Amino acid sequence: MDVLSDKNYIPQVAIDCVIFGYENRQLKVLLSKLAFKGNFYALHSGFIKQEEDLDEAAKRILEDRTGFQDIYLEQFKVFGRADNKRKQFLDALIQSNYSEDRKFLTETNNSNAYAWFTKRFISIGYYALVDMKRVSPKLTQFDVSIDWCPIQEVPELIMHYDEVFQEALAALRTDIDHKFNAFNLLPEKFTMKEVQQIYETIFEKEFTRSNFQKKILDMDVLERLEKRLTGAKNKAPYLYRLK
Amino acid sequence: MDVLSDKNYIPQVAIDCVIFGYENRQLKVLLSKLAFKGNFYALHSGFIKQEEDLDEAAKRILEDRTGFQDIYLEQFKVFGRADNKRKQFLDALIQSNYSEDRKFLTETNNSNAYAWFTKRFISIGYYALVDMKRVSPKLTQFDVSIDWCPIQEVPELIMHYDEVFQEALAALRTDIDHKFNAFNLLPEKFTMKEVQQIYETIFEKEFTRSNFQKKILDMDVLERLEKRLTGAKNKAPYLYRLK
């Protein structure tokens, strides 16, 4: 990583990535337990290089922090309160007398790391929705562990990350209803029931079969194919694929 | 305005406001013709004060640049290409040998204005949709004129503003379809036809009456009231209001 300075990175701007994972009818979010003494849980953030486009930066940060490559990220909101929870968090961390934490801020190759980190930041939120079977997160120097946490069991997060997580979840639900962005969780051919299970998991509620089918077909994004071959021919469901 | 410096403002971050106006079945956008020699058209932008929340900054910038107060602004996208069209624009302006333009950059109360302005910027886009009858834009020192331009007749805009305008229009259309954010253009009680006229203007296409009515009623945001009193009682349309 380059030295944190105004020359290398845009100051006072961060990117926060919220990575949702889906598997077996469960929606989870990827959390980092930070490499400090204490239980500090965070999302995955980073900074924008001076010569880097914003969307490139988001992809690079996601890869730097999780090892994930070629994941579609959706920009969803900018967070810009002036209250500077980042400085509050860092000051509390330093004062709590953990020598290894002080080291982090004072012995980096940039003596101005504290000044750089504790300015007020604007953060640009991106989220992704991935198939948990297809990815495996990698640890970095910043993490004790990096784990998928069911969205119903998210612990208190540091800084402003609780708000970022909640807004990302709201954005995921709004977007899925008009952009059909669940497609990257589906195989090439799929049944309506498979689509419904993903929606029910993301919205944490059940839909009636006929209403759900009508709503999805009205979106006009699916092409109906042959029936799935099963033993009982008259009960075989139709297969669909994306237009 | 405070001196442009890293101490007063967050460097390398701008807010771009796109103000759409509706009147008499026309959708327009507010453009500033800049106070330089030549035809330079711009949206309304500004910078975030160090102690100011992001949404506050957007409201203040809109008021500073247009005089509009208490207008709801919707954040829609962040623009972050590294190509720095701002510097290209300013350099071309200075080289084009207009003495009054050089003055703008060299004789401000901040001798570092050129250095400050020509860094690479990230810009946060906000849009608003207003009833043109209820507002009247005010000139500032930056404008020769400030006018409502029909969206079909927008001239080439400076810097990255063409992209910002197009993305704002796309966001307005997406949002109106699931947030019903046209309500601030409607009187307290209104007919379905009045709603349809607004939608037809914004989408630049016609809808069939029955499909449109079904779509809007399905959004479940309207309450049906008495019929509007007219001469011909059996043809009187129902009135609606927002739930």
Side-chain angles (χ1 to χ4, degrees), chain A residues 91-103:
Chain A
D91 285 347
L93 197 65
I94 291 167
Q95 280 165 21
S96 65
N97 211 16
Y98 299 143
S99 58
E100 55 270 67
D101 304 337
R102 281 212 208 88
K103 218 165 112 184

Side-chain angles (χ1 to χ4, degrees), chain A residues 98-121:
Chain A
Y98 299 143
S99 58
E100 55 270 67
D101 304 337
R102 281 212 208 88
K103 218 165 112 184
F104 170 69
L105 287 171
T106 55
E107 295 187 17
T108 62
N109 49 4
N110 176 7
S111 60
N112 291 316
Y114 177 82
W116 207 88
F117 267 116
T118 53
K119 281 192 180 146
R120 172 256 180 113
F121 271 71

Side-chain angles (χ1 to χ4, degrees), chain B residues 116-243:
Chain B
W116 207 88
F117 267 115
T118 54
K119 280 191 180 150
R120 172 258 180 112
F121 270 72
I122 297 235
S123 85
I124 304 169
Y126 280 80
Y127 78 82
L129 178 59
V130 302
D131 184 340
M132 281 163 57
K133 287 192 297 293
R134 293 185 213 171
V135 295
S136 60
K138 280 180 198 158
L139 277 188
T140 71
Q141 54 169 324
F142 305 111
D143 320 299
V144 174
S145 61
I146 175 168
D147 291 298
W148 293 108
C149 176
I151 58 163
Q152 299 82 3
E153 295 164 25
V154 172
E156 191 185 341
L157 306 177
I158 64 163
M159 306 199 306
H160 63 302
Y161 286 143
D162 287 317
E163 183 188 3
V164 178
F165 163 67
Q166 290 298 340
E167 292 282 341
L169 185 58
L172 172 67
R173 288 174 176 161
T174 303
D175 290 350
I176 210 166
D177 237 21
H178 70 278
K179 290 185 189 168
F180 200 67
N181 57 1
F183 68 86
N184 51 349
L185 302 181
L186 292 163
E188 199 202 329
K189 298 179 183 183
F190 48 84
T191 63
M192 192 56 74
K193 190 177 174 190
E194 289 175 289
V195 180
Q196 186 169 342
Q197 285 179 347
I198 291 174
Y199 271 67
E200 289 183 340
T201 305
I202 287 173
F203 284 93
E204 297 181 88
K205 67 179 181 191
E206 294 190 1
F207 297 98
T208 58
R209 193 172 152 279
S210 58
N211 285 352
F212 182 79
Q213 172 152 336
K214 182 177 178 316
K215 169 198 167 93
I216 297 296
L217 293 179
D218 281 354
M219 289 167 88
D220 199 28
V221 291
L222 299 187
E223 179 186 358
R224 196 169 85 173
L225 305 169
E226 73 281 12
K227 288 194 174 190
R228 172 172 282 175
L229 290 179
T230 61
K233 217 170 185 179
N234 57 340
K235 286 206 171 179
Y238 280 107
L239 288 168
Y240 294 87
R241 73 173 163 212
L242 282 173
K243 272 187 187 168

Side-chain angles (χ1 to χ4, degrees), chain A residues 177-211:
Chain A
D177 238 18
H178 71 280
K179 292 185 189 168
F180 200 69
N181 57 2
F183 68 87
N184 51 351
L185 303 181
L186 291 163
E188 198 202 330
K189 298 178 182 184
F190 47 84
T191 63
M192 191 57 72
K193 191 176 173 188
E194 289 175 288
V195 179
Q196 186 169 341
Q197 285 178 347
I198 291 175
Y199 271 68
E200 288 183 340
T201 305
I202 287 173
F203 284 94
E204 298 180 86
K205 67 179 180 192
E206 294 189 2
F207 298 97
T208 59
R209 192 173 151 280
S210 57
N211 286 351

Side-chain angles (χ1 to χ4, degrees), chain A residues 50 52-53 75 78 82 120, chain B residues 50 52-53 75 78 82 120:
Chain A
Q50 285 290 3
E52 192 176 45
D53 285 348
Q75 200 193 84
V78 187
R120 172 256 180 113
Chain B
Q50 286 290 3
E52 193 176 44
D53 285 348
Q75 200 193 82
V78 187
R120 172 258 180 112

